[in-house]
Amino acid sequence: MNGAHDLGGMHGFGPVEPEPDEPVFHAAWEKRAFALTLAMATPGGWNIDMSRFARENRPPAEYLAMSYYQVWFAALETMLKQRALVADDEIAAGHSLHAPKKVARTRSRSRSSR
Amino acid sequence: MPMSGHHDRHHDHDHSELSETQLRVRALETVLTEKGYVDPAALDLLIETYEKKVGPRNGAHVVAKAWVDPSYRARLFKDATPAIAELGYAGRQGEHIVALENTPNQHNMVVCTLCSCYPWPVLGLPPVWYKSAPYRSRVVADPRAVLAEFGVTLPAETKIRVWDSTSEIRYLVIPMRPAGTEGWSEDQLAELVTRDSMIGTGLPNRPEN
């Protein structure tokens, strides 16, 4: 697909600005949005192409105005709602209001040594 | 959520947008946890992995080994994914890695113009500039100017080749071993290997520094 994400060769975005001693994440919510996206891939049943599409199939002005993890998080919400795993009223309430769906399980952390 | 935050929203635009995202992420995590889809402790573990364990020190180990061990170097350029797995680095976003050899004639640079594809097992998560519009748009059109923004100037006769990553193929640049490091151990050499030198936007540190 084409779209605002297809940036190669475009003019006008200004100089590259590397950040010295950059942290891996820039806010606590970025960590959670990142981890939720990874952790929900198996129960959500999506692969990298589906999550890429959900991020890139966004109105260009929106895509360019959002930060990287804002795009990730918006795509996560989109994919969860498309699969009826979460509903708008639940996100607004901040609580589960409907019975969960049966989903594939991710590997339990008990297998890890920590 | 109670509406107590509503009043504050009128003051600082950026701050309130951040808080709204923060609240929305927290709300979604609560919903997904209550439904039993995710375990917050498993999320903590994922975060810890990418903050503390998986990062460019892994790639530096690969590069240093390629500098000291000719047979490893040959395996790395023949098929990088299993050669990297020999050192214990594998997994998410590293299913197919290609190693790119810098030489006096050719300098390699890596980008993902469409997104942020990057070899996680050897470099960790990408920095913001790698994911940002200025780098993605410009490095394919004017790599020398972009290199200059990183403080790197190459001889005019060195060709620059830019590799555009995909969700299937990720690249790891193997920089040239710095002069003056004869007899150095693999661990000493790994200390010279910077993250940017493995993306192609930098060079390894010099031994005198």
Side-chain angles (χ1 to χ4, degrees), chain A residues 9 22 32 68 90 95-96 105, chain B residues 34-36 44 116 128 137:
Chain A
E22 181 178 338
R32 307 316 283 181
Y68 184 75
E90 294 178 309
H95 285 289
S96 172
R105 291 285 151 188
Chain B
E34 288 177 357
K35 285 181 182 288
D44 293 342
S116 54
V128 165
S137 63

Side-chain angles (χ1 to χ4, degrees), chain A residues 5-10 13-19 22 24-27 29 31-36 38-40 43 48-49 52 56 63 68-70 72-73 76-77 80-81 85-86 90-101 103 105-106 109 112 114, chain B residues 1 17-18 21-22 24-25 27-32 34-48 50-51 53 92-93 112-117 120 125-129 131-138 140-141 146 149-150 166-168 170 195:
Chain A
H5 66 289
D6 194 353
L7 287 166
M10 285 178 75
F13 287 107
V16 181
E17 288 172 357
E19 178 186 344
E22 181 178 338
V24 177
F25 298 101
H26 291 73
W29 69 264
K31 303 181 191 191
R32 307 316 283 181
F34 166 79
L36 282 171
L38 261 53
M40 280 308 298
I48 190 169
D49 299 316
R52 285 274 303 270
E56 293 162 9
Y63 177 87
Y68 184 75
Y69 283 114
Q70 281 175 335
W72 269 49
F73 184 67
L76 174 63
E77 287 187 329
L80 291 170
K81 286 193 262 182
L85 292 167
V86 167
E90 294 178 309
I91 295 174
H95 285 289
S96 172
L97 303 173
H98 315 289
K101 284 179 77 172
V103 294
R105 291 285 151 188
T106 32
R109 84 185 186 98
S112 154
R114 310 183 45 124
Chain B
M1 289 299 290
E17 267 195 13
L18 187 67
T21 306
Q22 218 160 358
R24 209 169 162 89
V25 172
L28 187 67
E29 181 176 337
T30 304
V31 174
L32 296 176
E34 288 177 357
K35 285 181 182 288
Y37 299 153
V38 296
D39 169 5
L43 302 179
D44 293 342
L45 198 65
L46 270 170
I47 294 162
E48 191 195 334
Y50 286 99
E51 275 196 313
K53 293 183 187 156
R92 241 186 218 111
Q93 318 287 322
C112 176
T113 60
L114 294 175
C115 174
S116 54
C117 299
W120 289 11
L125 300 180
V128 165
W129 62 258
K131 305 179 285 194
S132 71
Y135 183 74
R136 285 160 55 192
S137 63
R138 254 175 83 229
V140 290
V146 171
E149 274 156 27
F150 283 89
T166 68
S167 50
E168 277 86 36
R170 321 276 171 130
R195 178 197 64 199

Side-chain angles (χ1 to χ4, degrees), chain B residues 105-204:
Chain B
N105 296 323
Q106 180 170 308
H107 178 87
N108 298 287
M109 295 179 78
V110 179
V111 64
C112 176
T113 60
L114 294 175
C115 174
S116 54
C117 299
Y118 193 73
W120 289 11
V122 279
L123 294 185
L125 300 180
V128 165
W129 62 258
Y130 183 87
K131 305 179 285 194
S132 71
Y135 183 74
R136 285 160 55 192
S137 63
R138 254 175 83 229
V139 72
V140 290
D142 197 356
R144 253 175 235 277
V146 171
L147 264 184
E149 274 156 27
F150 283 89
V152 176
T153 309
L154 294 175
E157 60 272 20
T158 303
K159 276 190 306 184
I160 298 178
R161 183 153 179 199
V162 181
W163 301 75
D164 199 354
S165 313
T166 68
S167 50
E168 277 86 36
I169 300 183
R170 321 276 171 130
Y171 299 100
L172 179 71
V173 175
I174 310 300
M176 288 187 287
R177 179 171 171 165
T181 58
E182 294 73 19
W184 282 40
S185 73
E186 202 178 298
D187 286 347
Q188 286 174 307
L189 288 166
E191 291 293 316
L192 299 178
V193 182
T194 62
R195 178 197 64 199
D196 289 2
S197 74
M198 296 180 279
I199 305 173
T201 55
L203 299 174

Side-chain angles (χ1 to χ4, degrees), chain B residues 54-94:
Chain B
V54 180
R57 296 338 298 159
N58 295 359
H61 182 190
V62 172
V63 170
K65 192 164 179 65
W67 284 346
V68 299
D69 181 343
S71 71
Y72 183 76
R73 187 180 183 88
R75 292 201 296 286
L76 184 66
F77 287 120
K78 186 162 176 261
D79 190 353
T81 315
I84 289 167
E86 282 178 38
L87 304 186
Y89 312 129
R92 241 186 218 111
Q93 318 287 322

